[in-house]
Amino acid sequence: MAIKTPAQYNESLKDLHPTAYILGEKVENVFEHPLIKHMKASVAKTFELENDEEGRKHLVTKSDLIDEEVSRFLKFYTSPEDLLAKVRMLKFLAQNIGGCYMRCTGMDAISSVGIEVYNCDQKYGTNYWQRLIDFVTMMQKNDYVLFSGVTDVKGDRSIRPSQQKDPDMYLHVVDRNDDGIVVRGAKIHQTGSLCAHWGIVVPTREMREEDKDYAVSFAFPADSEGVIHVYGRGTLESRAMEGCDLGNVEFSKFAPMVIFQDVFVPWERVFLCGEYEYAGNMVRHFGNYHRHSHGGCKCGVGDVLIGAAATAADYNGLPNVSHINNKLAEMLKVTEAIYGCSIAASVESVETPSGIYNVDPVLSNTSKLYEGKELAEVIRMMIEIAGGMVADVPSDKDFANPEIGPLLHKYLKGAEGVSTEDRVRIFRLIEKLAFESRDIVSNIHGAGSPETHRMTILRNSNIEAKKKLAKKLAGIKEE
Amino acid sequence: MAIKTPAQYNESLKDLHPTAYILGEKVENVFEHPLIKHMKASVAKTFELENDEEGRKHLVTKSDLIDEEVSRFLKFYTSPEDLLAKVRMLKFLAQNIGGCYMRCTGMDAISSVGIEVYNCDQKYGTNYWQRLIDFVTMMQKNDYVLFSGVTDVKGDRSIRPSQQKDPDMYLHVVDRNDDGIVVRGAKIHQTGSLCAHWGIVVPTREMREEDKDYAVSFAFPADSEGVIHVYGRGTLESRAMEGCDLGNVEFSKFAPMVIFQDVFVPWERVFLCGEYEYAGNMVRHFGNYHRHSHGGCKCGVGDVLIGAAATAADYNGLPNVSHINNKLAEMLKVTEAIYGCSIAASVESVETPSGIYNVDPVLSNTSKLYEGKELAEVIRMMIEIAGGMVADVPSDKDFANPEIGPLLHKYLKGAEGVSTEDRVRIFRLIEKLAFESRDIVSNIHGAGSPETHRMTILRNSNIEAKKKLAKKLAGIKEE
Amino acid sequence: MAIKTPAQYNESLKDLHPTAYILGEKVENVFEHPLIKHMKASVAKTFELENDEEGRKHLVTKSDLIDEEVSRFLKFYTSPEDLLAKVRMLKFLAQNIGGCYMRCTGMDAISSVGIEVYNCDQKYGTNYWQRLIDFVTMMQKNDYVLFSGVTDVKGDRSIRPSQQKDPDMYLHVVDRNDDGIVVRGAKIHQTGSLCAHWGIVVPTREMREEDKDYAVSFAFPADSEGVIHVYGRGTLESRAMEGCDLGNVEFSKFAPMVIFQDVFVPWERVFLCGEYEYAGNMVRHFGNYHRHSHGGCKCGVGDVLIGAAATAADYNGLPNVSHINNKLAEMLKVTEAIYGCSIAASVESVETPSGIYNVDPVLSNTSKLYEGKELAEVIRMMIEIAGGMVADVPSDKDFANPEIGPLLHKYLKGAEGVSTEDRVRIFRLIEKLAFESRDIVSNIHGAGSPETHRMTILRNSNIEAKKKLAKKLAGIKEE
Amino acid sequence: MAIKTPAQYNESLKDLHPTAYILGEKVENVFEHPLIKHMKASVAKTFELENDEEGRKHLVTKSDLIDEEVSRFLKFYTSPEDLLAKVRMLKFLAQNIGGCYMRCTGMDAISSVGIEVYNCDQKYGTNYWQRLIDFVTMMQKNDYVLFSGVTDVKGDRSIRPSQQKDPDMYLHVVDRNDDGIVVRGAKIHQTGSLCAHWGIVVPTREMREEDKDYAVSFAFPADSEGVIHVYGRGTLESRAMEGCDLGNVEFSKFAPMVIFQDVFVPWERVFLCGEYEYAGNMVRHFGNYHRHSHGGCKCGVGDVLIGAAATAADYNGLPNVSHINNKLAEMLKVTEAIYGCSIAASVESVETPSGIYNVDPVLSNTSKLYEGKELAEVIRMMIEIAGGMVADVPSDKDFANPEIGPLLHKYLKGAEGVSTEDRVRIFRLIEKLAFESRDIVSNIHGAGSPETHRMTILRNSNIEAKKKLAKKLAGIKEE
């Protein structure tokens, strides 16, 4: 049963009892909470599509580890084709969900960790690679959802982990014994931690010898003792709480903070512990893979942005207007560039000693830089096309009011033949697409900040070789 | 008593009983509603500053109509200096309020209407100009708050008012007698209608003879019979409703829809009624004035965006970092250009026959185009500088929870010497600045959409003269 | 002998006697003209690299038509790999030549024409496909250089070919007999026509029945009777004429106008003649292929731009400066996006009935749109990094002057250890890269203008499908 | 005779015998040289306009020093109105000349030097201010042309003047006696030095005590002994040399390098000599004034760019096309913002102790930053509108050739009613506007590089005050 149905996924969550706080309250039955259920619906949709004829082409693949078909979300990237398939799967899903579906951080993490633990084993004779294989095999067999814990809270950003006044600003090992290790710290922006069965921790930066207790990677059940999920508040909670004016009527995203209060991890789930020289590469791989993932999913979201803008234009009575077509073309340009660079980063991927393929870092970071800067402009153009109604359309509750409901139906209608309800629905969707803080900030800071992307591009481009090209053409002889 | 105190303003609202609906409910005591009171606070702040030593330099001026000092919000623009003073006042206010304070639409409307009713009187012998003078005099004496109703709901955007299947898609005269007129229609995005004493209606577009019932301008008390205010829902209502996580702790903006259900207006408050050839110019003047207003207020908001970003950088432990300084300089560039073009539009203003000065339309629309496109980039840079925490910081309620509050204090601290509370406050402010839909959409669509701004620039630039310059330099002889 | 050496190429030109005018004079020995020889050197460089160990990996491939290795410039695109190899070949060449090498218009034309003549044969029983195969076979055997004639002079752009007052504004058939056809017209911007052995004409737009005489495609020797090449004057002629201050010391580009004065073409070289419904697709394919080609070559040029800027920074004494690194990263971002989208357009290519693969039009046009807009910004950043010296450095002749030469050596030196000559060389190269009009205008208008690219993207994107995605997410039911 | 005629200007040059080298040759009669005469024509045009009815409103003003009308180019800025008048004069001139007219660097220099020598006199009891007054009085009486020498050659940019291995990399005092000083060094990019009567030297950067010999300002005749002008080679020399294909048929710009070979300056023309603490402010004032000047002149050039693009569209048969109008509006937006910010910088100028008004540095640098980045985009849009013909239109000499001239006339015609000659003329003008290296590089580096502009904005903006605004709104209490 390596492919779950949505029903099986929902059933499986009943065995999970994570410690969770939402808006100041400890929540027992967290998966039914109104602020969690739309995210759970996103994840469940991935299981639905694993069982759908078209969807399974994207989401299901043959395992290298077990003799079964498995979710692509749980497979190492062992060929350029795997990387291409990932980008296309994420685009397909985002087109159908209109946002995040939470399963790609775990997918990106297993290959990131895999490349380096293989290298570590070669040097130090550790057996991390086999542990990771065992873990992924178990995950595949159960079609579990895995999130990854990368971003530490970081404290003072100008100083290293071991220099912080409070040593817990980065997750670290505080104790170890024959059975395993004990870790403390906190990871922030943990996309979908409350819809996942397991998490996998990746260090958030390069580490030096003095930071070696911070060079730690491991897997853990989402409801491990000492793991506390705190809901991170975004912009549109009242909609989910009230169950109206949702915009995206089924799906949403959230990203809790996850605190590790002296959590015990058995050795069999530990993938790095002190070998600090691998920490930096792990997170660099993760960053490159995850920027590559964004190339697919944000292009898919982009298709929804474009479709929503075009629909709003129709509903306003402005189909096929020259300046709107021009803006749609510009919106397409950006989303396709984001996608295209991720496709190219797949094609130009390189095999590592582990057999896992690494994406081209220059192209994957180029994709992310366009997302970080120009997707904001795509969203702005969507609002520009849709018009001012995006700002402040009355609520579904007003439409339901018998006194003013009819007046609103009358006055908020647009083009002939379009119901006022549908017109309002598209404005609400656009509002959701433009103002859901988790999504918008993810465009910029998801998978690292733009400055990191720039520096990654610079470091992975051979500037010296380009200088040589220029000098040769200029007639400059180098000794 | 031509200058009110905040207490007098609040007191004066007690006499107003507007018909108002908020999120599906009819609200009796609307000025105390949690979704209205932060906007009322913004307006009250303007009265506080009218009585403040520094503030009065900006907000108070000598009346041309009565022998008193009056609010600048109620004065016609009778010199370039008035226009310069307006821009500077609005910048000053926005710096102190961090957003909209609702009184400039009325201010811009009286001069817009004034220019054209003067022209109309000259041609048709009407006495609109005197009526307007009387109205403004009354407003000055009482230091009343005036909002302007410009934007109609519009129905199908591709056809004219008189062609709409439903004739009420643009506000129009449905009856008239010796005492006055009766009007029907709806105006959308009515910034601050529920904090104002009076409103003034301006046609939303040029009109032709067949549209002449739509060529109507008048003033009306905000609680006139038949006037219904419907709260337009924005993005962050739950914060105001719950009274926490506000970001901007005192002030906010909203913009109801105002429905005119056969509202009677006495002739003495009617400023245009059927003279359709003046409608287009009225709204064009309004647009140009209001884009000019944005040059001041959005620059002031820009100062807050810049200050918030710089504070977040400090709190993250990243003061004086090269790439952040570069971004701050780019943010300054945009906000100063918005401001500078409004200053220049004042200097290059032109006197009209009424004695009112009209701003330079090319420069005021240039200012607005930069706001419409580049202020989004300024906001994006603010988020880029502040970091991912803007997306999903836990709630004040979580901080108040005795179990996890201490953990959040521990894990969300930043640079040494900065309290976690303050760090969270600045992220919340940035969230408010970036994700309050009324403000963000106003940047783009406030005072007309960017396409309108472009066409206004084009029509008011003498392209033929520029062609002649080019031809002459190229050696092309024109016969 | 399907692969020529540079010597063989130069030798082969001796048999060609094209009619050519340069700056007002008829030129007999055109290939030795100072304004042509740097372009001839670019083409000769491609032959050198066909015989070079690294170069042949890119430039040489197995023919499908003859049992030999042939130049990739003469092969149909019969797989996605051919398209990938093309992009990489063009990038490699541009890195080594710093600009245009003239052989890709012919390469793109044969596949463009091929797809449609195959279709035409299926419908009308014509035998164009076999003629084209024969022509390409002959070209491969001789490793000839082929340019393509696409862009007509067009006259009044607002009207169709058959509506022009002068019927010769688009190339057309003016006579036909048993042996062949006679054509008249003029093609502009004919990159490298004076370095090529043959040309191939492609219609420049879609045609209707009334335009059918304009729906014509054929091949012709560059020195056919009636073919007149007129040198198009660019910006930096004096450098080549004087043989100093060249910037790029070996290579340059030019693009004559080619006039067809009643040129006879035998039927065996005619590939379309009147079947107007194929004209539009031919040029659309050409456009898409050629934008795809730019993705490779302009990325290669981009590497030279980046290398030149970085070298100038070193020579100015400013290596490793934060804001310069930031600009280099932005320059890389643009050039890699241009490249990445062309790689992706190859991967997502689609087979046509002819067996030729068509690139993805959305991705290839996205690449070109970034080139058209952002490559200008890359060039601007190169100048920004290099400094003002790009504007007006004294001439090599001044350096050679015994009186002031030593003073210039003294005063124009930069960082320690860099010779003044080398510093001046890099400024001259930057000047060439920034101000050679043929290159800069090609970035914008090469392979069609940006408006065409936008419309191609729009028409090839399924906007209706995107609307459906948005509607479904918004909860809008469609009947 | 404080206002010269063009004839008087030309006559006056006969007395000047500057040492000049052009393209490797020492030139005796430099003012008649084909590469100088179009620049001389630009300067002469300013004298023509001083005597023209409309022109004199802009160019002529009442002197504060002598009882005559004088050229505005020779007046200190003693009011905001002077600064406004300057911006408008420069715009007017650039509209009529299509580029540089060389007289504003001297104008900006006298006020820059003036502010600081006044301060210096107050502190050190020097009498520089009076010397400067005397010098300016003499200049006014003769209506002389003054250029300013600011930019030193600089050597290694990472180190200070006194640290350079060769001490002559910045102009400095090498000897002094009772009569005056002797200076050595070289200034680069000396706009119009070969059309001016006098020059005035301003230090190019802040200086410290160890650099005090470099803290020197003085005036000198352009043909002083030891002053050597070396023509800086730009892009389009062959046009002027051949006297055809000029684009701008009358006017052009150049910028020689000026070498000071131990030049003697009498004390009466020395305005700073060793008082190093004033050097930095002098050049900062100059930078701010000169960026402010660009706001006028580049807006005027922008009008020509827009007019040329619109004319080309007409000539191509594409008047009033939606996407072209959109681009024209965007071009206007940029040029008006550049202008508007300079107008605003005038209005917000501040009086200094000398009585000279200083422009607002934030607004003047904002103007220049838009010029530096977006004027390149305006030029790109001009090319995009005009079409590919800008790249490579045949020469006037080809049109004059009896064999192909008629064919070119036939084939290069555009819209009905437009002569081919005129169409070619407009393409040539566009080529000149887009590819004249002196102009294009000046957009970016004129008056300092963009990085300097950014840092000037940042340093002159009160970021601390903006932080306070944000903190207050966020509810952060500061102790």
Side-chain angles (χ1 to χ4, degrees), chain A residues 21-26 153-158 164-169 184-186 188-190 228 230-239 241-242 244-245 254-257 259-261 315-319 323 327 372-374 376-377 379-381 383-395 397-398 401 403-404 407-408 410-416 423 427-428 431 434-438 440-442 444-445 449-451 454, chain B residues 21-26 153-158 164-169 184-186 188-190 228 230-239 241-242 244-245 254-257 259-261 315-319 323 327 372-374 376-377 379-380 383-395 397-398 401 403-404 407-408 410-416 423 427-428 431 434-438 440-442 444-445 449-451 454:
Chain A
Y21 290 83
I22 299 181
L23 300 185
E25 299 192 7
K26 188 166 184 178
V153 290
K154 292 193 186 120
D156 184 330
R157 304 257 175 134
S158 64
Q164 301 280 336
K165 197 170 170 188
D166 179 338
D168 304 336
M169 292 295 99
R184 189 186 300 153
I188 192 106
H189 317 312
Q190 296 303 291
I228 305 171
V230 185
Y231 177 83
R233 170 159 234 184
T235 38
L236 291 163
E237 269 96 15
S238 59
R239 312 309 175 80
M241 296 298 279
E242 299 169 8
C244 71
D245 302 324
F254 66 92
M257 178 179 174
I259 300 173
F260 294 78
Q261 274 279 68
Y315 287 6
N316 288 340
L318 299 171
H323 74 84
K327 288 180 187 85
K373 183 150 192 326
E374 296 204 20
E377 172 62 9
I379 289 166
R380 199 199 62 74
M381 284 191 279
I383 298 173
E384 188 174 332
I385 291 172
M389 207 78 89
V390 175
D392 50 17
V393 77
S395 170
K397 299 187 212 173
D398 294 305
N401 179 301
E403 291 155 39
I404 52 161
L407 287 171
L408 296 178
K410 172 187 172 71
Y411 281 116
L412 293 179
K413 64 175 171 278
E416 185 69 22
R423 189 166 179 245
F427 290 134
R428 283 278 171 239
E431 181 194 49
F435 294 110
E436 171 58 63
S437 58
R438 268 78 62 123
I440 300 303
V441 176
S442 147
I444 302 170
H445 286 289
S449 67
E451 212 58 31
R454 271 182 214 106
Chain B
Y21 290 83
I22 298 181
L23 300 184
E25 298 191 7
K26 189 166 183 177
V153 290
K154 293 195 186 118
D156 184 330
R157 305 257 175 133
S158 64
Q164 301 279 337
K165 196 169 171 186
D166 180 339
D168 304 336
M169 292 296 98
R184 189 186 302 152
I188 192 104
H189 317 311
Q190 296 304 291
I228 305 171
V230 185
Y231 178 82
R233 169 158 233 184
T235 38
L236 292 163
E237 270 96 13
S238 59
R239 313 308 176 80
M241 296 297 281
E242 300 170 7
C244 71
D245 302 324
F254 67 91
M257 178 178 173
I259 300 172
F260 295 78
Q261 274 279 71
Y315 286 6
N316 289 339
L318 299 171
H323 74 84
K327 289 179 186 85
K373 183 150 192 327
E374 297 204 17
E377 174 62 7
I379 289 167
R380 199 198 62 73
I383 298 174
E384 189 174 332
I385 292 172
M389 208 77 90
V390 174
D392 49 17
V393 77
S395 170
K397 298 188 213 174
D398 295 305
N401 178 299
E403 291 155 40
I404 53 162
L407 287 171
L408 297 178
K410 171 188 174 69
Y411 281 116
L412 294 178
K413 63 175 171 278
E416 187 68 23
R423 188 165 179 244
F427 291 133
R428 283 277 172 240
E431 181 193 51
F435 293 110
E436 171 58 63
S437 58
R438 269 76 65 123
I440 299 303
V441 177
S442 147
I444 302 170
H445 285 290
S449 67
E451 213 57 31
R454 271 182 213 105

Side-chain angles (χ1 to χ4, degrees), chain C residues 389-428:
Chain C
M389 208 78 89
V390 174
D392 50 16
V393 77
S395 169
D396 293 351
K397 299 187 211 174
D398 294 305
F399 279 86
N401 179 300
E403 290 154 40
I404 53 161
L407 287 171
L408 296 178
H409 272 99
K410 171 187 173 70
Y411 282 116
L412 294 178
K413 63 175 171 279
E416 186 70 22
V418 177
S419 77
T420 304
E421 288 89 341
D422 284 350
R423 189 165 178 243
V424 168
R425 281 188 185 102
I426 207 74
F427 292 134
R428 283 279 171 237

Side-chain angles (χ1 to χ4, degrees), chain A residues 175-232:
Chain A
D175 201 5
R176 69 188 75 196
N177 60 28
D178 286 356
D179 298 329
I181 59 175
V182 177
V183 296
R184 189 186 300 153
K187 297 278 185 175
I188 192 106
H189 317 312
Q190 296 303 291
T191 305
S193 73
L194 283 168
C195 300
H197 305 87
W198 282 76
I200 178 168
V201 157
V202 181
T204 202
R205 55 168 294 167
E206 54 80 34
M207 300 289 174
R208 299 195 191 149
E209 186 162 9
E210 61 266 35
D211 310 310
K212 69 171 188 276
D213 287 342
Y214 298 87
V216 60
S217 172
F218 58 85
F220 64 101
D223 62 350
S224 299
E225 195 180 335
V227 168
I228 305 171
H229 303 252
V230 185
Y231 177 83

Side-chain angles (χ1 to χ4, degrees), chain D residues 203-259:
Chain D
T204 201
R205 53 168 295 164
E206 54 79 34
M207 300 289 175
R208 299 196 190 148
E209 185 161 11
E210 61 266 34
D211 310 310
K212 70 171 188 276
D213 287 342
Y214 298 87
V216 60
S217 172
F218 57 86
F220 64 101
D223 60 351
S224 299
E225 195 179 336
V227 168
I228 305 169
H229 304 252
V230 185
Y231 178 83
R233 170 158 232 185
T235 39
L236 292 163
E237 269 96 13
S238 60
R239 314 307 175 80
M241 297 296 280
E242 300 170 7
C244 71
D245 303 324
L246 290 165
N248 185 325
V249 295
E250 281 189 78
F251 308 116
S252 193
K253 173 183 179 170
F254 65 92
M257 177 178 174
V258 177
I259 299 172

Side-chain angles (χ1 to χ4, degrees), chain D residues 420-438:
Chain D
T420 304
E421 287 89 342
D422 283 351
R423 187 164 180 246
V424 168
R425 280 187 186 103
I426 207 74
F427 291 134
R428 283 278 171 239
L429 176 62
I430 290 172
E431 180 192 51
K432 173 75 172 174
L433 291 165
F435 294 109
E436 172 57 63
S437 57
R438 269 76 65 123

